[in-house]
Amino acid sequence: MKPDERDKYSRQILFAGIGEAGQDALLGSSAAIVGCGALGTVAANLLVRAGVGRLRIIDRDFVETSNLQRQTLFEEADASDALPKAVAAERRLRAINSGPQVEGIVADVTPKNAIELLAGFSVILDGTDNFETRLLLNDAAISLGIPWIYAAAVASYGVTMTIRPGDSACLACLLEGAGSDNGHANASGVAAMEATCDTAGVLNAAVGVIASIEAAEAIKILAGKTEALNGRLISCDVWTGKFQSIGVARNPDCRACARREFVYLAGAAQPHITMCGRDSVQIHERHRRLDLAELGRRLASASAAEVRNNDFLLRFRVAPYELTVFADGRAIIKGTKDPAVARSLYARYVGA
Ligand SMILES: [Zn+2]
């Protein structure tokens, strides 16, 4: 450890659970965060300040004003510039701590790219907002043998659980264990979590608690202190003040961690069009890169209103819709829940 690092992290080194050996391990470690919304920004901030060696942040979305209440790495200018979250987060994190190697990737994690994006990391943190992607992360992490930390928060409530392939229950044990006590308890828990931040709202404090527990678990793994992992499904409600932790048993017949049937990774469950928050549809069926400048000129001459672009995306309004197109060919269409409408707008304005 360099002298400036010993000073920078002195309060963490003083903590007996970490010590100098733990900090050394942390400085040489790596983490990937999938989804850089509320949970992802809080966890990324904590890991970078703690001195993780390398952090990769993967996010498909851009910053909007309604994010700022809880997504603590972003500011008003990021929203007005419509910066991708991965780009804005990388800039901010580098300014916070120049030590860690921080890399923001603007992408949707899919069955096609999950292994490539996540291989080689010491831990994966869940910052996503849907169970489809979480089950894909679960498949990817188990197939790679990488621990990952499930986390979710909505309204005043959140849950988190650390998954160590081969040692602990996995997300499929928790969600898919029909008939078991786990499965029974989970059916209601999952239904509750199916409410999203877009429909039920979310308190920034609920996110802060869950993301902080998630970051603490990640730091234990990265500092080589796995004996300190809590090993339980932790939930809390910051409004009622109710905290719970329950043990989750492994399902000996689990589709993912026992039978190693990675159906989400195989892509069977991944549609080309997905709902993306309230009143938005994402199209990600195209795999060629778009020339955003050329598309911008074309749209301007085709009289699409309010064409705006930056280096990463292009946005335009076709009342009552708003289309945001990324360089990788993805598009988020706001103002509809109907995949057919989204597909037709995409074909008409971006290309068939
Ligand atoms: Zn399992």
Side-chain angles (χ1 to χ4, degrees), residues 163-248:
I163 290 147
R164 281 179 301 149
D167 290 329
S168 73
C170 79
L171 192 64
C173 293
L174 184 68
L175 301 181
E176 299 173 4
S180 69
D181 283 350
N182 285 348
H184 190 70
N186 289 316
S188 58
V190 171
M193 297 307 295
E194 288 291 359
T196 71
C197 301
D198 288 318
T199 57
V202 61
L203 290 181
N204 55 17
V207 172
V209 171
I210 291 298
S212 293
I213 295 170
E214 188 182 23
E217 290 283 283
I219 287 169
K220 292 172 199 174
I221 292 169
L222 299 177
K225 311 291 182 180
T226 50
E227 69 281 1
L229 290 168
N230 69 56
R232 296 170 74 82
L233 176 73
I234 292 183
S235 65
C236 77
D237 186 322
V238 297
W239 204 252
T240 61
K242 191 174 166 197
F243 284 65
Q244 272 188 311
S245 93
I246 56 169
V248 179

Side-chain angles (χ1 to χ4, degrees), residues 283 286 298 323 341-352:
I283 296 185
R286 292 164 64 97
R298 188 149 55 80
L323 283 79
V341 170
R343 197 187 283 279
S344 125
L345 286 165
Y346 187 97
R348 190 181 326 158
Y349 292 99
V350 183

Side-chain angles (χ1 to χ4, degrees), residues 138 142 163 168-176 249-259:
N138 190 63
I142 290 167
I163 290 147
S168 73
C170 79
L171 192 64
C173 293
L174 184 68
L175 301 181
E176 299 173 4
R250 278 191 81 178
N251 171 4
D253 192 38
C254 174
R255 185 263 308 161
C257 70
R259 301 205 308 269

Side-chain angles (χ1 to χ4, degrees), residues 89-101:
E90 181 190 298
R91 284 184 189 171
R92 184 73 193 279
L93 291 165
R94 286 184 174 188
I96 286 169
N97 188 352
S98 58
Q101 191 190 323

Side-chain angles (χ1 to χ4, degrees), residues 54-336:
R54 175 177 172 226
L55 181 68
R56 170 175 287 179
I57 297 162
I58 309 152
D59 191 280
R60 66 185 187 182
D61 217 338
F62 51 87
V63 181
E64 295 178 279
T65 308
S66 64
N67 301 149
L68 302 179
Q69 162 254 3
R70 65 197 178 283
Q71 302 187 13
T72 55
L73 291 176
F74 308 136
E75 42 199 80
E76 290 180 349
D78 299 327
S80 57
D81 294 344
L83 276 188
K85 292 180 179 181
V87 172
E90 181 190 298
R91 284 184 189 171
R92 184 73 193 279
L93 291 165
R94 286 184 174 188
I96 286 169
N97 188 352
S98 58
Q101 191 190 323
V102 180
E103 175 194 25
I105 295 182
V106 184
D108 194 21
V109 174
T110 68
K112 280 200 171 62
N113 63 15
I115 295 294
E116 186 191 334
L117 286 170
L118 301 172
F121 286 89
S122 319
V123 68
I124 299 163
L125 286 84
D126 178 8
T128 70
D129 59 0
N130 65 85
F131 278 101
E132 177 122 358
T133 311
R134 289 189 181 108
L135 285 163
L136 172 62
L137 290 187
N138 190 63
D139 278 9
I142 290 167
S143 97
L144 290 164
I146 299 174
W148 80 282
I149 307 170
Y150 156 56
V154 65
S156 59
Y157 173 81
V159 295
T160 180
M161 184 172 88
T162 301
I163 290 147
R164 281 179 301 149
D167 290 329
S168 73
C170 79
L171 192 64
C173 293
L174 184 68
L175 301 181
E176 299 173 4
S180 69
D181 283 350
N182 285 348
H184 190 70
N186 289 316
S188 58
V190 171
M193 297 307 295
E194 288 291 359
T196 71
C197 301
D198 288 318
T199 57
V202 61
L203 290 181
N204 55 17
V207 172
V209 171
I210 291 298
S212 293
I213 295 170
E214 188 182 23
E217 290 283 283
I219 287 169
K220 292 172 199 174
I221 292 169
L222 299 177
K225 311 291 182 180
T226 50
E227 69 281 1
L229 290 168
N230 69 56
R232 296 170 74 82
L233 176 73
I234 292 183
S235 65
C236 77
D237 186 322
V238 297
W239 204 252
T240 61
K242 191 174 166 197
F243 284 65
Q244 272 188 311
S245 93
I246 56 169
V248 179
R250 278 191 81 178
N251 171 4
D253 192 38
C254 174
R255 185 263 308 161
C257 70
R259 301 205 308 269
R260 299 184 70 82
E261 292 168 14
F262 302 127
V263 293
Y264 286 84
L265 199 52
Q270 183 76 10
H272 293 309
I273 293 192
T274 49
M275 295 307 294
C276 174
R278 179 174 53 89
D279 223 17
S280 296
V281 174
Q282 177 185 230
I283 296 185
H284 46 92
E285 59 193 324
R286 292 164 64 97
H287 297 291
R288 69 178 174 82
R289 297 190 68 78
L290 289 173
D291 182 340
L292 294 179
E294 195 274 326
L295 179 61
R297 284 191 293 273
R298 188 149 55 80
L299 289 167
S301 63
S303 74
E306 300 172 49
V307 179
R308 296 171 52 202
N309 66 301
N310 58 33
D311 290 346
F312 314 100
L313 57 82
L314 182 142
R315 173 183 291 175
F316 58 99
R317 285 187 65 80
V318 183
Y321 311 106
E322 182 182 83
L323 283 79
T324 304
V325 184
F326 295 83
D328 64 2
R330 279 185 310 117
I332 294 174
I333 291 107
K334 217 170 160 179
T336 182

